[in-house]
Each structure stands twice: as structure tokens, then as C-alpha cells.
Amino acid sequence: ELAGVPLDADKGHRALKLSEVDRIRLEAVDYYHEQMTASATAKGYLVLQRGHKEEILKRERLGWSDGRLYVHLRAKGFEEKGMLESGLVVQREVEGGTRLMDLFAKGLVVFPHFGGGRVLHFTQKDPRDVPKDKKLKYQVPKEKRDKTWLFYGQDALDRYSEIILVEGEHDRLQVLNAGPFGVVAMIGQISDEQIKTLLSRGRGKHIYLWGDNDEAG
């Protein structure tokens, strides 16, 4: 698109084999993105308050939770086992027993993390100004996310010769607002595995560390 050169589809390319969990994650991306597109509150926060471009929100498939993903997935015919394995649906204790419900409560920004044509992970941000101890869990638990997940936007490691490494989801989107850069986000404190990945997949490339201007950064 940048060069104006059309690329023909590779007819010999094998279709990616998707598991039930893969299909659930992809369906969740579409569902959450539709909720974001239809929500004035979501767009007000992401576009007006955060300053993200709508084209970036669309390209990155940003979502908005309404607390009804489980209902949607069930209506689509997905099995409860697969929903639970995806980490997006959880079983919680309620009065009189247990019930299945969404991991992400209503009114959250949902960030899908892609890699290799699949959805590897989901994180969320609560736009409300709430005390730190009242904030909701911000990501799918480690045991439920894809084992190949490393960064938010990790495909950029293989596509660009210059990589900008930032801390969080909004940081990455803000840089993407400015142009076609290779940007990946750590999502929290950088891990040993992430450092090893940068050493291997980033060999021979320029990597710019762009931390926040605070103690952690």
C-alpha cells in the first residue's frame, strides 16, 4: 500500500490451520471491534481523549467490551470447553453455584494481540478513573494465552529494520498514529524472554528504547 504496488495472492500458500480456540479468539476480535465501532463512549475516549486515529483503531482491530461476549459465542455455537481454554470466558462463584461469564467486564478497551496470522493474547484498559486497588485484571492469564505471545505488535520484529520498543498499548498506538513504524510494546516490565527475543530477532536492526518519562521508564 505504501509503494502503490499490488501483490498477487500466493496460490500455493497453505491456509492457516486454526484450532477451536483460535476461531473463538478471532470471533471475539470481530465482536469487540463491532462494539467499539458502535459505541460513542468508546470513540469519545479513544479518539477525542486519547487522540488515536480512527484508521489505526480499525487496522489494529481495537475493541470495547459490553459484558456479553459469552452470550455471543454461545449463540455462534462454540463449545464451553473452548471458550474457557481461550481465557476470555471464566467460571465464577455466584449465589447458588457457579456460572460462566466474560473475563472482561462491561466498558473496557480491549486490545487484541496478533502474531503469525493468529490472535495470541488480549489485554484491556479501564478508561474510568478508579483507585489502583479497584482496577480489573488487565490481561488474559498466562496459562490461557498463546505460548508464542511475546509483545503487543510482535510481527513488527520481522517486518521492519528499525524497531521502536515502548511500554504499553496506548504508547504503541500513539506512535502508529504518526506513521508506518515498526512498534512493539512490552506490556509491563520487560521479561528475560522478551530480551532474548530482541537479541535474536532484532539482530542487525536498530532498536530504539522509548520508555515513559517516569521511574519505571
Side-chain angles (χ1 to χ4, degrees):
E1 289 177 357
L2 292 173
V5 180
L7 299 178
D8 294 328
D10 180 5
K11 295 179 181 179
H13 182 67
R14 291 183 178 181
L16 189 66
K17 291 185 178 179
L18 299 176
S19 67
E20 175 82 352
V21 171
D22 286 327
R23 290 192 291 272
I24 288 171
R25 289 171 177 157
L26 285 168
E27 184 65 35
V29 169
D30 288 343
Y31 181 77
Y32 281 139
H33 185 65
E34 287 176 5
Q35 306 313 307
M36 188 279 292
T37 302
S39 171
T41 302
K43 284 192 173 182
Y45 173 71
L46 291 166
V47 177
L48 300 179
Q49 187 173 336
R50 281 288 182 171
H52 299 314
K53 293 181 179 178
E54 291 196 40
E55 62 196 72
I56 297 298
L57 302 180
K58 181 179 180 180
R59 193 183 79 192
E60 297 299 317
R61 306 293 290 166
L62 244 68
W64 185 262
S65 62
D66 66 348
R68 292 182 58 81
L69 176 66
Y70 166 63
V71 175
H72 173 77
L73 293 175
R74 188 177 60 185
K76 286 287 185 176
F78 290 107
E79 299 289 335
E80 291 184 352
K81 181 175 182 291
M83 291 188 228
L84 289 168
E85 288 177 355
S86 75
L88 294 169
V89 173
V90 295
Q91 193 168 39
R92 292 204 171 110
E93 296 288 337
V94 296
E95 187 176 349
T98 61
R99 60 171 291 193
L100 296 180
M101 59 183 65
D102 291 13
L103 171 69
F104 297 140
K106 183 178 180 179
L108 304 174
V109 181
V110 180
F111 302 84
H113 297 218
F114 299 98
R118 296 164 54 240
V119 185
L120 309 179
H121 187 28
F122 290 85
T123 54
Q124 64 85 2
K125 291 290 185 183
D126 189 345
R128 299 168 298 179
D129 186 16
V130 296
K132 193 172 183 178
D133 60 342
K134 298 292 184 182
K135 286 188 177 293
L136 303 168
K137 290 185 177 181
Y138 70 92
Q139 61 181 332
V140 171
K142 186 174 183 179
E143 65 274 11
K144 297 292 184 180
R145 70 190 71 154
D146 192 283
K147 290 181 174 57
T148 61
W149 177 85
L150 289 162
F151 297 95
Y152 178 40
Q154 65 190 52
D155 280 348
L157 293 173
D158 301 316
R159 294 178 180 172
Y160 293 88
S161 60
E162 293 184 310
I163 305 296
I164 299 173
L165 180 65
V166 297
E167 293 186 29
E169 297 94 335
H170 285 301
D171 301 326
R172 177 173 178 263
L173 295 181
Q174 287 289 8
V175 180
L176 291 177
N177 285 332
F181 300 111
V183 193
V184 297
M186 297 176 281
I187 313 300
Q189 184 176 353
I190 196 166
S191 66
D192 289 341
E193 187 177 12
Q194 288 176 323
I195 293 173
K196 290 176 182 176
T197 299
L198 291 173
L199 287 170
S200 60
R201 291 169 66 177
R203 189 175 301 278
K205 302 184 178 187
H206 293 282
I207 298 180
Y208 302 91
L209 307 181
W210 198 341
D212 291 346
N213 189 23
D214 56 18
E215 185 177 354

